[in-house]
Amino acid sequence: MYTKTGLESEVNAVPVRTRYAGSPTGLLHVGGAWAAFFNWLFARHHGGAFIIRVEDTDRTRSTEESERAILEDLRWLGLEWDEGPDRGGAYGPYRQTERFALYARYAHALLERGAAYECYCTPEELEAERQRARARQLPQRYSGRCRDLSAAQRAALAAQRRPAIRLRLADFGRAIAVWDLIRGRVEFSPQHLDDYIIIRSDGTPLYNFANVVDDHLMAISHVIRGAEHLSNTPKQLVIYEALGWTPPQFAHLPVILGTDRKKLSKRLGDTAVRDYRRRGYLPEALLNFFALMGWYPEEDREIYSLEELVARFRIEDLGKASPVFDPAKLTWMNGVYMRRALETDPGRVVQVCLAVLLAEGLLAEPVAPEQRAYVEQVVRVLGDRLKVGEDILTYGDFFFREVTFDPAAEQQYLRRPEVRELLRALADRLERDGALNHAAAEAAVRGLAQERGIHSREVIHPARVALTGKTAGPGLFELMELLGRPRVVARLRAAAERAG
RNA sequence: GGCCCCAUCGUCUAGGGGACCAGGACGCGGCCCUCUCAAGGCCGAAACGGGGGUUCGAAUCCCCCUGGGGCCA
């Protein structure tokens, strides 16, 4: 009955159409972005269409602002879609709240065919039922009380309240098999399934129903979604059959986990694409990283261009096990892309860093050309230390604001009796000289060290702390040149005051 | 509680009966480079959850257990 898919069958004549169906109840989650990416890859690989559908039936939690933010982040990632709420298409509307008439129509079709029935139980009664079942450690299933009401009973109840609509499922009579492109055949026995509500008494549709109606009406050929929906699939298949529809092919992706091995949650760090965007990650790095969760296009290789990923994508190659999201590896990968951009397109790195500086309030819009040029210089000096945009702050904040002394650094290099005098002497030397460029800075520092008969390190380390507040960072002479003589001299003298 | 899914280094994974005393990457440790850090180079520690089978032979196939995850308006 449900066998039309077949694992080994090539994608058939049906045009490939995939979709990302998210709820606009917050920012785009990395798990959602990951699923969206695989849908996008599959569609692009097959020259098909990628569709965005907004599942906003939960009106209390859905917002337009969230929808906008999600679309914006998807676009930022580069996952352009062919149809969606903002650009329309032949299968719209693309928001579920605009499709209620369709759900009502098919719910009634189900009712007429006897595949669904009206249920007059109240949410309170049902909740109480569940509580009792839980207390006795019994399966939490619907009693079926309204399944076979007589016309008279129904009329009596209808006089009092509006019914919900339930799908008839528990007495379906035979096993339901899901053919999953990743997992193979998964069989469910309807005895363990429950008559479930497809339309609430207030008329709003539930996920398992709206999803089926939309996927069918939008001619979705491949439903690629998280494994949390695998148990929903048999319930959905019953609707396809009752309505005489051919179901799409299914592929259930593993669920991305946090380092606690639980579903990725905010407690353990950033989980929204927006978080990474703000911190100065590159979209192509994010996508490359996503590709390596649950999939390895080739052996012994991690860096791929988008084109390569599109060309290689095969849904059968996806893994079944749930990957743990590892931000450290993402950061490493972003560094690879940043270094590459530094060589081929430094303007991009500047752009990413600029955004961080603006967000931090260290620069304000509009950014003047000379400010931008200054940032370009800082980026050049910081070089491959910039693994993510926000590294401009971790390694170079002192280029944009007064020095903040790292306590450990100060303790190690400024709390020495001879340092106060040494920094003053360096300031004196620099003040005497002309322009402060790399060579002049080096000459002054090395000259001072030689004069004192000490290693240049003895001057360099305290000077770095004096100028930057840190022990780590760009080369001293480069940063001195960029800082310029007035700031260098002032900071050396100020640090001398603190020292000793 | 019921049903379903999953299981190789800390993490992402390669592996689909002999090519594996298990390969790559991140992270971690050491060394080199060096004014520090970063990058880079070299080296290293680090895994087939357990138990039964099948087989001449199992990380690879089957079963059980254990563990993790998901669904049950």
Side-chain angles (χ1 to χ4, degrees):
Chain A
M1 201 83 246
Y2 297 107
T3 56
K4 60 271 303 160
T5 68
L7 283 179
E8 52 294 306
S9 74
E10 275 299 299
V11 175
N12 43 39
V14 178
V16 168
R17 291 171 57 83
T18 64
R19 47 64 165 189
Y20 172 67
S23 294
T25 54
L27 292 168
L28 180 64
H29 192 269
V30 291
W34 178 66
F37 181 42
F38 281 10
N39 274 279
W40 182 89
L41 278 174
F42 186 75
R44 291 293 172 261
H45 178 86
H46 291 288
F50 175 58
I51 290 113
I52 303 283
R53 183 168 74 227
V54 178
E55 309 219 320
D56 56 349
T57 58
D58 184 347
R59 285 169 152 150
T60 57
R61 301 203 306 139
S62 301
T63 65
E64 282 177 37
E65 188 194 349
S66 163
E67 179 189 313
R68 261 196 309 279
I70 287 170
L71 295 185
E72 200 187 311
D73 286 343
L74 285 168
R75 196 164 273 135
W76 174 77
L77 281 170
L79 307 183
E80 198 46 67
W81 49 97
D82 303 290
E83 300 166 28
D86 61 331
R87 58 181 304 170
Y91 297 83
Y94 293 91
R95 277 185 204 92
Q96 290 191 325
T97 47
E98 294 166 15
R99 301 172 64 82
F100 276 20
L102 294 167
Y103 308 134
R105 183 192 306 166
Y106 290 103
H108 282 103
L110 253 11
L111 238 26
E112 274 166 25
R113 294 170 189 223
Y117 58 90
E118 294 173 322
C119 173
Y120 291 88
C121 300
T122 64
E124 295 71 33
E125 289 167 353
L126 296 169
E127 181 53 33
E129 225 176 67
R130 270 196 300 276
Q131 291 291 354
R132 278 196 297 276
R134 207 168 307 158
R136 289 193 228 156
Q137 303 222 317
L138 292 169
Q140 298 167 40
R141 307 185 63 214
Y142 174 57
S143 66
R145 192 151 30 135
C146 297
R147 192 182 294 150
D148 299 300
L149 293 177
S150 68
Q153 287 172 309
R154 195 171 315 138
L157 287 162
Q160 301 168 31
R161 48 177 107 120
R162 299 191 44 125
I165 299 177
R166 257 183 210 280
L167 193 81
R168 203 169 186 115
L169 178 53
D171 55 356
F172 187 70
R174 61 196 144 82
I176 303 168
V178 176
W179 287 93
D180 188 282
L181 262 8
I182 297 172
R183 281 151 219 279
R185 184 174 190 272
V186 184
E187 191 176 288
F188 296 83
S189 162
Q191 297 159 338
H192 302 291
L193 264 22
D194 207 6
D195 288 359
Y196 69 100
I197 300 202
I198 57 175
I199 304 270
R200 290 191 186 85
S201 52
D202 68 3
T204 56
L206 268 85
Y207 170 81
N208 281 316
F209 178 58
N211 214 256
V212 167
V213 171
D214 290 341
D215 284 338
H216 178 259
L217 262 28
M218 292 182 178
I220 301 302
S221 64
H222 299 260
V223 170
I224 304 168
R225 69 207 333 180
E228 63 265 28
H229 290 123
L230 183 55
S231 334
N232 286 325
T233 310
K235 303 179 192 173
Q236 301 185 173
L237 285 173
V238 170
I239 299 178
Y240 282 101
E241 173 159 308
L243 259 12
W245 293 345
T246 301
Q249 298 201 264
F250 292 98
H252 287 94
L253 267 17
V255 179
I256 297 186
L257 270 23
T259 42
D260 58 352
R261 292 236 157 238
K262 296 241 159 49
K263 214 167 168 177
L264 199 55
S265 86
K266 285 216 191 318
R267 319 173 49 102
L268 262 39
D270 293 329
T271 55
V273 168
R274 186 65 61 96
D275 295 325
Y276 291 96
R277 189 177 163 183
R278 279 210 192 96
R279 295 174 54 192
Y281 284 77
L282 263 18
E284 59 269 41
L286 227 30
L287 292 181
N288 194 154
F289 174 73
F290 284 161
L292 265 33
M293 282 194 295
W295 182 38
Y296 248 71
E298 284 178 23
E299 231 179 293
D300 301 351
R301 182 177 167 197
E302 2 285 320
I303 306 298
Y304 301 87
S305 70
L306 245 198
E307 295 68 39
E308 291 174 311
L309 293 175
V310 168
R312 286 167 176 68
F313 192 75
R314 281 166 34 103
I315 211 147
E316 313 87 277
D317 292 343
L318 302 191
K320 303 174 192 170
S322 296
V324 171
F325 183 84
D326 179 10
K329 186 156 185 175
L330 203 209
T331 300
W332 163 77
M333 185 164 283
N334 203 71
V336 172
Y337 279 87
M338 287 285 269
R339 265 169 260 135
R340 187 174 291 184
L342 228 31
E343 295 204 354
T344 61
D345 184 13
R348 278 208 66 212
V349 179
V350 172
Q351 206 52 46
V352 165
C353 292
L354 222 37
V356 171
L357 292 168
L358 287 166
E360 190 70 9
L362 296 178
L363 282 180
E365 286 201 272
V367 179
E370 60 270 24
Q371 283 179 312
R372 195 194 154 87
Y374 179 62
V375 176
E376 281 169 10
Q377 296 278 51
V378 172
V379 165
R380 193 178 48 74
V381 164
L382 255 21
D384 55 25
R385 272 165 279 249
L386 296 169
K387 289 211 276 285
V388 299
E390 69 181 358
D391 282 339
I392 197 165
L393 258 29
T394 68
Y395 291 111
D397 64 321
F398 59 88
F399 283 118
F400 303 95
R401 61 184 168 207
E402 289 308 306
V403 176
T404 309
F405 289 94
D406 168 47
E410 185 172 14
Q411 183 63 37
Q412 191 179 357
Y413 291 109
L414 297 187
R415 293 265 164 271
R416 297 226 203 102
E418 72 281 8
V419 166
R420 171 187 287 245
E421 194 276 324
L422 192 65
L423 292 177
R424 275 193 192 134
L426 182 58
D428 289 343
R429 260 177 188 263
L430 292 166
E431 219 159 22
R432 272 201 304 276
D433 293 339
L436 178 60
N437 57 27
H438 187 291
E442 180 157 11
V445 169
R446 295 210 191 277
L448 180 64
Q450 200 164 29
E451 186 182 292
R452 304 281 167 111
I454 55 177
H455 194 104
S456 56
R457 264 191 290 262
E458 305 295 316
V459 182
I460 289 172
H461 291 322
R464 171 177 290 105
V465 175
L467 297 175
T468 73
K470 313 174 207 303
T471 55
L476 182 67
F477 311 131
E478 298 162 86
L479 74 86
M480 283 171 84
E481 173 173 338
L482 228 196
L483 241 21
R485 190 160 67 163
R487 278 194 288 182
V488 168
V489 170
R491 286 184 187 185
L492 286 173
R493 293 204 188 287
E497 290 306 307
R498 297 172 67 107

